[in-house]
Amino acid sequence: MPGLIKNVFDWVGKYNSNDDSDDDNNTIYHTHRKDALNMSRVASEHARASSEALRRGDRNKGYRLSSMAQEESICAKKLHKKAAEEIMRKTNKSNNIWKLDLHCLHASEAVDAVKQRLKKLEASPRTPLKSLSPHCQPNVLTIISGVGKHSKGSPVLPRAVKEFLTNNRYRFYDLRPGVIVVYPKFAENL
């Protein structure tokens, strides 16, 4: 097993969360989230104004603002989904199926991405471990969650991903901070 761990470590490459990719991630995040964040802000303002109008007894204005806030919230969710898809495409364009970069995603989006990737891997034929060479892709999914530099408080993505993996009984370990290695549940292992 130590040989496999070394191969995985080498295969992940020289990914370093302290490099210039931080600026790239900020740019990717703000470029693709801008409209969604603005729409969320407007929805929140209308929801607050609705509550205030209802508190003052202005039911017509309160209900109208509440309706606007609900529509804007739905629109913001759609914009966030579109942003997440574009972010995933950009952050993973040079990765193969065995490596998943979750930078710039929100926790629920990251968990959804992990679910989808594991489902895709588990549906495809498995390469026997003995045939793996240092240059061959491993039978483990390497998830780059980052170390939470942009989280308020403790890192959000690693915790959300590990909670999903634990709740669904996946075997996994931390290769290093911000990098999680997961063993997919192939049919012959069930």
Side-chain angles (χ1 to χ4, degrees):
M1 195 59 95
L4 177 61
I5 292 171
K6 182 185 180 325
N7 287 348
V8 170
F9 192 82
D10 292 342
W11 178 76
V12 169
K14 297 186 181 356
Y15 175 80
N16 182 352
S17 59
N18 296 327
D19 64 12
D20 293 333
S21 66
D22 234 14
D23 290 337
D24 294 341
N25 287 336
N26 281 334
T27 301
I28 289 171
Y29 182 87
H30 290 292
T31 298
H32 296 289
R33 297 278 185 191
K34 180 177 56 176
D35 293 338
L37 293 171
N38 285 337
M39 186 59 68
S40 294
R41 182 184 48 77
V42 170
S44 181
E45 289 171 3
H46 283 138
R48 270 193 300 276
S50 169
S51 294
E52 183 61 29
L54 290 170
R55 190 185 60 73
R56 287 190 321 265
D58 189 349
R59 289 179 33 190
N60 286 338
K61 185 174 184 178
Y63 291 138
R64 185 174 48 80
L65 287 168
S66 175
S67 178
M68 288 172 60
Q70 288 173 4
E71 288 177 24
E72 292 158 349
S73 183
I74 290 168
C75 183
K77 286 179 183 177
K78 289 178 183 177
L79 289 169
H80 275 296
K81 183 177 181 185
K82 181 180 174 191
E85 290 167 359
E86 187 61 24
I87 288 167
M88 280 290 295
R89 189 182 67 72
K90 286 196 178 204
T91 58
N92 288 284
K93 67 182 172 200
S94 61
N95 295 342
N96 67 25
I97 194 169
W98 296 98
K99 184 176 178 183
L100 181 62
D101 189 339
L102 303 176
H103 279 97
C104 304
L105 295 181
H106 297 163
S108 61
E109 297 164 348
V111 169
D112 286 344
V114 171
K115 281 182 200 175
Q116 290 173 8
R117 183 62 58 90
L118 285 168
K119 185 177 179 179
K120 187 174 185 176
L121 288 171
E122 291 165 353
S124 60
R126 181 176 177 190
T127 306
L129 284 176
K130 63 185 177 223
S131 71
L132 288 177
S133 72
H135 305 292
C136 183
Q137 62 194 18
N139 283 317
V140 294
L141 173 61
T142 303
I143 301 172
I144 302 168
S145 63
V147 293
K149 284 184 174 183
H150 303 288
S151 296
K152 292 179 176 115
S154 63
V156 174
L157 293 185
R159 186 176 59 243
V161 169
K162 288 176 185 177
E163 183 178 315
F164 163 76
L165 295 170
T166 300
N167 290 344
N168 289 278
R169 297 184 175 187
Y170 280 95
R171 290 183 346 182
F172 66 93
Y173 64 92
D174 287 318
L175 185 61
R176 60 180 174 271
V179 180
I180 304 166
V181 175
V182 182
Y183 295 90
K185 295 178 188 174
F186 294 105
E188 68 267 17
N189 292 343
L190 298 178

